[in-house]
């Protein structure tokens, strides 16, 4: 019979055993992994170095024209020279402070909302939804003694953000209504909602924009004209609402029917149940989908160039076809790409943070 | 009738009346506007001569005889051809990138993440312009074309690729292919049924595959090659032979495939990760080999999650191909909703036809989706 030997208590094997161990576990598991690690690191180094070389090391930063620039490297004076146009379009220079005020207010509100433990968040959110559109009309469009700036002069990043902000803030309530309509027990309402949603989702945004820009004037009384920007906004908002409706519907389906039944047994009315019980839960569940839609809207604003508006992408296109600067396409696209990337990436980060804040349960 | 029912009926009646009033308003306005502008309506314009050139078409197009209806079909086929190529390329690229992230190699994962983040966070229109203007317009001229195996040539005028031409063995090849495939299918079904019914294992699948290969090889040996490849050759001022793809097509192909692959990669990664680890462990403990665990347990379950969003990505490819209008690729929106509309002015009819085309595609895709979902739905007790 073997005797039991009592051994000393041992510590659990460490989860973390220094850099060398981490390195071995992640990079050098097997010959295949060594090959993959070396391959992907050299690929990354090559791409990053070539990019930095073009953007930074070999690039020209000073000068008024392109005489100092090499064709093999970036020529940033082009961006300086056109910076104003990229940001404000053809908005008159002496009036641009109006755009800046709105931009600062919007930015401050967003920062305020993202901060933790600050008061009056409700009012700040209300200001974003109601106050900002009023500010856009009063300040940027021009009212109450301010010079009127027609929307044909709007452009650049200002226009991109105006379009995106409007479409985002209008499409969420519209989409929610459509989603509720789709689930409605009234056949007329649900059939109308379903046909609208499915029709819009089946066709590309370009055709919807064409419809808004070409067909809308035909269907309106003679002599009545709608601003081109407004037409684009109508088209884009309707388009995005259909997608938003599907996202919200997913959330609505995720709310267990026990919630509705419990609320009914408390004697709540249909609209109370929808507004106070079902929708808050459904919207919380659809946050990831809603964030994705916001990012999609922001990227889709570029399509307004096909109906002749000059958003950021449009002003880049206009600037690179200027004969005083040749071969500036890549500079323009990298600049615009960086801005779009920055905004989309920030949106997805913020979305993830909101999702975490509202997470309940386990 | 209860109070709630009456209210519901009243609301619905009000909605219908509002919609009808709105329709009446819009239609009368449209009729007046069209009369004032002196524009005719109806579809008679489809038989009129189009009279403009289209730079690239899959089906034959001759500007001297082609009607507007022909233009519509050229646009539709161009859209479908481009979408098909992009769907195939994006699926391959996306699947590879999705799987590469799951190998457990950190640097590789980071590279794939960077690819996905970049392609997903930059508007597709910007990416298409980049490929068209910065890459394809910067290609060398004819004499210095980039070439691959002396068979593929890329220059500023576009891409030249080898193309199969009929040879003496073509008919024999098709016959062998069809007969072989049918035999293979029948044999494998027979073997499966036999195993299910009697428990006896017959290598029907392997035998079927052997017959399939043997038939095709036999046809090749007896009747000659199935096709000969016509390789583009530089003659004078252009390449002759092979197939030619214009730079607009190549830019759309690259841009759309690379953009869509980023989304597909995320779907593939998410789908595989969502299959629970217990499934893998249970299948392994039954003694299945790794390959069989993948083929019989993991992939079928992952596919159930991947296919529905994947089909909607495919629909997105078809819709995004309409962005060809921005870089002058002659898709249906560009030639029909663009040029034809400008020439004939029949806005309502043309937009309706374009939307009908996209609706048909989307309807076909959702019919397929419903069929697939029904087929793979979990069978619950």
């Amino acid at each position: 019979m073997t005797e039991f030997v009592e051994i000393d208590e041992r510590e659990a094997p460490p989860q973390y055993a220094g850099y060398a161990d981490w390195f071995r576990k992640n990079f050098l598991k097997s010959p295949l992994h060594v090959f993959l690690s070396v391959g992907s690191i050299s690929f990354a180094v090559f791409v990053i170095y070539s990019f930095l070389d073009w953007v930074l090391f070999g690039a020209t930063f000073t000068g008024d024209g392109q005489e100092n620039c090499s064709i093999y490297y970036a020529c940033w004076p082009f961006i300086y020279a056109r910076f104003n146009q990229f940001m404000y379009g053809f908005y008159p220079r002496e009036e641009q402070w109006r755009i800046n005020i709105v931009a600062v207010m919007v930015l401050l509100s967003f920062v305020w909302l993202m901060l933790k433990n600050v008061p009056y968040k409700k009012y700040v959110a209300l200001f974003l939804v109601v106050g900002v559109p009023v500010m856009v009309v009063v300040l940027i469009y021009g009212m109450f003694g301010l010079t009127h700036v027609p929307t044909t002069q709007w452009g650049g990043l200002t226009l991109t953000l105006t379009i995106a902000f409007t479409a985002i803030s209008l499409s969420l309530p519209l989409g929610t209504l459509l989603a509720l309509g789709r689930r409605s027990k009234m056949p007329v309402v649900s059939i109308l909602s379903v046909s609208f949603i499915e029709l819009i989702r089946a066709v590309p945004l370009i055709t919807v924009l064409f419809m808004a820009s070409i067909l809308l004037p035909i269907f309106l009384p003679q002599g009545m004209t709608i601003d081109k920007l407004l037409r684009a906004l109508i088209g884009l908002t309707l388009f995005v609402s259909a997608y938003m409706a599907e996202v919200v519907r997913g959330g609505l389906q995720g709310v267990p029917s026990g919630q509705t039944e419990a609320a009914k047994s408390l004697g709540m009315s249909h609209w109370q149940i929808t507004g106070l019980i079902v929708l808050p839960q459904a919207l919380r569940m659809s946050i990831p989908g809603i964030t994705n839609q916001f990012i999609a809207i922001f990227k889709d604003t570029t399509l307004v160039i096909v109906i002749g508006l000059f958003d950021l992408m449009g002003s880049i296109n206009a600037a690179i076809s200027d004969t005083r600067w040749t071969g500036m396409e890549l500079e323009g696209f990298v600049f615009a790409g960086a801005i779009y990337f920055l905004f989309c990436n920030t949106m997805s980060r913020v979305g993830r943070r909101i999702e975490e804040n509202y997470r309940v349960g386990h | 009738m209860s109070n709630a029912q009456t209210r519901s009926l009243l609301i619905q009646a009000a909605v219908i009346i509002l919609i009808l009033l709105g329709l009446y308003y819009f239609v009368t306005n449209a009729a007046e506007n069209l009369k004032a502008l002196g524009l005719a309506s109806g579809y008679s314009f489809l038989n009129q001569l189009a009279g403009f050139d289209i730079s690239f078409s899959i089906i034959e197009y001759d500007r001297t005889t082609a009607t507007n209806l022909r233009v519509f079909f050229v646009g539709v086929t161009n859209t479908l051809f481009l979408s098909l190529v992009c769907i195939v390329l994006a699926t391959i690229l996306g699947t590879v990138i999705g799987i590469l992230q799951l190998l457990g190699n950190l640097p590789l994962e980071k590279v794939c993440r960077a690819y996905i983040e970049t392609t997903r966070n930059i508007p597709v229109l910007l990416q298409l312009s980049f490929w068209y203007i910065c890459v394809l317009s910067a290609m060398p001229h004819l004499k210095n074309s980039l070439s691959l195996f002396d068979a593929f040539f890329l220059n500023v005028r576009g891409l030249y690729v080898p193309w199969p031409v009929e040879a003496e063995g073509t008919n024999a090849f098709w016959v062998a292919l069809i007969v072989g495939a049918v035999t293979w299918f029948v044999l494998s079904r027979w073997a499966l049924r036999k195993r299910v019914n009697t428990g006896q294992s017959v290598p029907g699948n392997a035998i079927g595959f052997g017959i399939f290969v043997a038939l095709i090889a036999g046809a090749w040996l007896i009747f000659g090659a199935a096709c000969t490849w016509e390789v583009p050759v530089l003659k004078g001022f252009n390449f002759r032979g092979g197939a030619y793809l214009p730079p607009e097509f190549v830019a759309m192909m690259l841009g759309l495939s690379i953009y869509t692959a980023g989304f597909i990669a995320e779907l593939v990664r998410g789908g595989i990760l969502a299959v629970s680890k217990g499934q893998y462990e249970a299948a392994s403990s039954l003694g299945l080999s790794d390959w069989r665990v993948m083929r019989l347990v993991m992939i079928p379950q992952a596919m159930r999650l991947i296919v529905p969003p994947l089909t909607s990505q495919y629909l997105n490819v078809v819709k995004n191909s309409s962005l060809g209008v921005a870089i002058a690729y002659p898709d249906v929106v560009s030639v029909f909703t663009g040029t034809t509309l400008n020439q004939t002015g029949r806005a309502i009819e043309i937009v309706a036809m374009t939307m009908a085309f996209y609706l048909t595609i989307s309807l076909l895709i959702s019919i397929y989706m419903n069929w697939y979902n029904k087929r793979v739905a979990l069978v619950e007790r």
Side-chain angles (χ1 to χ4, degrees):
Chain A
M1 191 182 155
T2 46
E3 213 172 292
F4 286 105
V5 184
E6 203 167 296
I7 57 170
D8 290 336
E9 219 172 74
R10 279 187 300 185
E11 259 180 63
Q15 292 284 321
Y16 179 74
Y19 291 115
D21 185 62
W22 177 84
F23 188 78
R24 204 170 50 241
K25 266 190 193 144
N26 281 298
F27 292 70
L28 311 169
K29 260 181 264 177
S30 68
L32 175 70
H33 278 271
V34 175
F35 170 72
L36 291 177
S37 305
V38 172
S40 35
I41 290 175
S42 13
F43 176 73
V45 168
F46 170 72
V47 170
I48 293 173
Y49 178 78
S50 332
F51 184 69
L52 285 182
D53 196 33
W54 184 82
V55 170
L56 227 56
F57 305 146
T60 311
F61 289 92
T62 49
D64 293 325
Q66 62 180 127
E67 53 290 337
N68 297 333
C69 296
S70 148
I71 55 163
Y72 299 108
Y73 297 105
C75 180
W76 296 123
F78 168 68
I79 301 292
Y80 306 152
R82 294 295 171 149
F83 190 75
N84 201 271
Q85 194 192 338
F86 293 157
M87 292 297 120
Y88 304 102
F90 297 106
Y91 208 85
R93 287 216 174 206
E94 62 283 1
E95 305 290 343
Q96 283 169 2
W97 57 270
R98 286 148 55 171
I99 296 177
N100 294 342
I101 288 183
V102 178
V104 169
M105 294 297 280
V106 171
L107 198 68
L108 281 179
S109 320
F110 273 118
V111 170
W112 191 266
L113 285 180
M114 290 315 290
L115 288 177
K116 276 179 185 157
N117 307 321
V118 284
Y120 309 125
K121 275 199 178 180
K122 219 183 260 175
Y123 299 104
V124 176
L126 197 71
F127 166 74
L128 267 181
V129 179
V130 181
V132 171
V134 174
M135 278 181 82
V136 168
V137 174
V138 171
L139 277 174
I140 302 186
Y141 192 69
M143 269 185 179
F144 303 125
L146 289 169
T147 335
H148 168 63
V149 182
T151 54
T152 42
Q153 293 182 13
W154 299 21
L157 188 61
T158 313
L159 187 66
T160 297
L161 290 176
T162 311
I163 296 175
F165 196 85
T166 315
I168 284 175
S169 47
L170 291 181
S171 67
L172 188 57
L174 252 176
T176 312
L177 274 184
L178 279 170
L180 289 174
R182 189 174 183 147
R183 282 164 59 92
S184 162
K185 291 206 181 65
M186 294 182 251
V188 173
V189 177
S190 80
I191 288 174
L192 281 174
S193 311
V194 171
S195 356
F196 176 80
I197 294 172
E198 293 305 328
L199 176 75
I200 295 288
R201 275 161 43 91
V203 298
L205 176 55
I206 284 194
T207 55
V208 177
L209 286 175
F210 268 136
M211 248 178 80
S213 104
I214 300 171
L215 290 191
L216 205 57
I218 297 184
F219 286 111
L220 287 175
Q222 272 177 312
M224 183 174 162
T225 52
I226 302 189
D227 192 275
K228 206 197 256 172
L229 174 62
L230 198 59
R231 275 182 269 166
L233 282 177
I234 293 174
L236 192 66
T237 308
L238 289 180
F239 182 79
V240 185
S241 305
Y243 284 81
M244 205 58 96
E246 285 303 276
V247 172
V248 176
R249 182 171 76 119
L252 286 173
Q253 281 173 344
V255 180
S257 48
Q259 296 284 326
T260 322
E261 288 157 11
K264 243 182 217 164
S265 71
L266 287 176
M268 293 173 106
S269 74
H270 174 73
W271 288 109
Q272 277 178 322
I273 298 175
T274 310
L276 299 174
I277 307 292
V278 177
L279 265 187
Q281 298 188 56
L283 289 178
R284 188 179 62 221
M285 265 185 269
S286 352
I287 289 173
I290 293 176
T291 319
N292 280 342
Q293 280 310 315
F294 285 173
I295 295 175
I297 302 175
F298 190 79
K299 291 192 294 176
D300 279 345
T301 54
T302 45
L303 295 195
V304 298
I305 63 175
V306 297
I307 59 169
L309 289 173
F310 285 93
D311 72 329
L312 177 59
M313 179 76 195
S315 37
I316 299 272
N317 278 344
I320 58 183
S321 50
D322 182 348
T323 45
R324 275 171 295 173
W325 298 84
T326 50
M328 293 297 140
E329 292 86 3
L330 198 53
E331 283 82 351
F333 290 156
V334 167
F335 177 71
I339 291 182
Y340 283 112
F341 186 90
L342 200 74
F343 273 96
C344 295
N345 205 296
T346 314
M347 274 193 264
S348 67
R349 272 165 207 278
V350 171
R352 241 171 285 153
R353 210 169 126 183
I354 295 176
E355 207 185 320
E356 276 159 24
N357 281 351
Y358 280 97
R359 186 168 290 154
V360 285
H362 328 289
Chain B
M1 210 157 49
S2 77
N3 216 354
Q5 268 174 321
T6 327
R7 199 175 53 205
S8 147
L9 275 181
L10 280 178
I11 293 177
Q12 297 190 50
V15 170
I16 291 183
I17 290 172
L18 269 180
I19 298 266
L20 286 180
L21 279 179
L23 272 181
Y24 175 76
Y25 176 70
F26 286 134
V27 169
T28 43
N29 281 337
E32 268 176 35
N33 280 327
L34 291 180
K35 214 161 84 187
L37 291 169
L39 289 174
S41 55
Y43 285 91
S44 54
F45 73 98
L46 286 175
N47 297 321
Q48 290 164 7
L49 283 184
F52 58 87
D53 266 325
I54 296 180
S55 61
F56 172 72
S57 62
I58 303 291
I59 56 174
E60 214 172 297
Y61 179 83
D62 180 7
R63 65 171 289 182
T64 52
T65 56
T67 58
N68 285 322
L69 188 63
R70 188 79 185 167
V71 173
F72 177 69
F73 285 124
V74 167
V76 166
T77 43
N78 280 352
T79 295
L80 291 178
F81 177 62
L82 173 68
S83 313
L84 198 70
V85 173
C86 289
I87 284 173
V88 172
L89 291 179
T91 309
I92 297 173
L93 188 62
T95 314
V96 169
I97 291 172
I99 290 175
L100 284 183
Q101 289 177 83
L102 297 172
L103 294 181
N105 188 289
L106 196 68
L108 189 60
E109 207 184 310
K110 293 281 173 212
V111 170
C112 294
R113 289 301 322 161
Y115 171 87
I116 292 172
E117 288 294 314
T118 319
T119 50
R120 284 171 53 126
N121 282 331
I122 293 177
V124 61
L125 197 60
L126 184 62
Q127 297 189 33
L128 291 172
S129 306
F130 165 78
W131 288 108
Y132 185 56
I133 297 173
C134 295
V135 178
L136 286 156
S137 304
M139 281 295 146
H141 283 282
L142 205 60
K143 296 280 175 203
N144 309 319
S145 301
L146 302 178
S147 84
L148 187 67
F149 309 128
D150 269 334
F152 296 83
F153 296 92
L154 185 62
N155 59 42
V156 72
R157 282 196 208 169
L159 179 68
Y160 298 82
V161 296
W163 197 250
V165 255
E166 215 169 300
E168 63 269 33
T170 307
N171 294 332
F173 169 78
W174 286 118
V175 171
L177 186 80
I178 293 166
V179 172
V182 170
T183 323
W184 185 7
F185 178 74
V186 169
L187 271 176
S188 70
R189 288 300 290 267
W190 170 76
L192 182 69
R193 196 167 305 147
K194 179 151 187 166
R195 204 177 70 210
V196 170
N197 289 339
T198 67
Q200 258 180 322
S201 182
V202 192
N205 201 17
I207 296 174
F209 179 68
I211 292 176
F212 178 73
V213 173
L215 274 175
I216 289 177
W220 190 301
L221 287 175
I222 298 167
F223 296 100
C227 66
T228 48
W229 290 93
E230 197 184 72
V231 176
V233 185
L234 183 60
K235 270 189 191 146
F237 294 109
N238 210 342
F239 281 93
R240 296 284 157 79
Y244 161 71
L245 298 169
E248 292 82 19
F249 180 86
V250 182
M252 288 298 289
M253 180 180 85
L254 285 174
L256 268 188
S257 313
I258 287 174
Y259 176 75
T260 314
F263 289 86
I264 293 182
E266 281 292 85
L267 293 180
V268 170
R269 176 173 152 270
I272 294 177
L273 282 180
V275 180
S276 72
K277 213 177 164 193
Q279 294 285 325
Y280 174 83
E281 289 163 353
S284 309
S285 71
L286 286 175
L288 293 179
S289 66
D290 261 4
W291 164 241
R292 286 201 156 177
V293 173
M294 267 326 250
R295 191 168 68 91
L296 299 173
V297 179
M298 303 298 279
I299 290 179
Q301 295 192 64
M303 286 305 265
R304 176 163 48 219
L305 298 172
I306 296 172
V307 168
L310 189 65
T311 37
S312 69
Q313 280 304 323
Y314 289 170
L315 184 59
N316 279 347
V317 172
V318 179
K319 289 191 280 179
N320 280 336
S321 68
S322 62
L323 297 182
V325 70
I327 61 169
Y329 174 73
D331 78 311
V332 67
V333 171
S334 170
V335 293
F336 193 64
T337 326
T339 318
T340 307
L341 198 156
N342 280 338
Q343 291 201 347
T344 62
R346 303 285 174 90
I348 301 176
E349 292 85 350
I350 286 178
V351 170
M353 276 177 81
T354 320
M355 291 184 103
F357 161 66
Y358 283 107
L359 261 178
T360 315
I361 301 288
S362 127
L363 206 65
L364 290 178
I365 288 185
S366 37
I367 289 175
Y368 165 76
M369 269 250 292
N370 286 342
W371 171 79
Y372 180 87
N373 278 338
K374 213 167 272 171
R375 209 174 71 103
V376 301
L378 278 178
V379 183
E380 285 179 1
R381 281 153 296 180

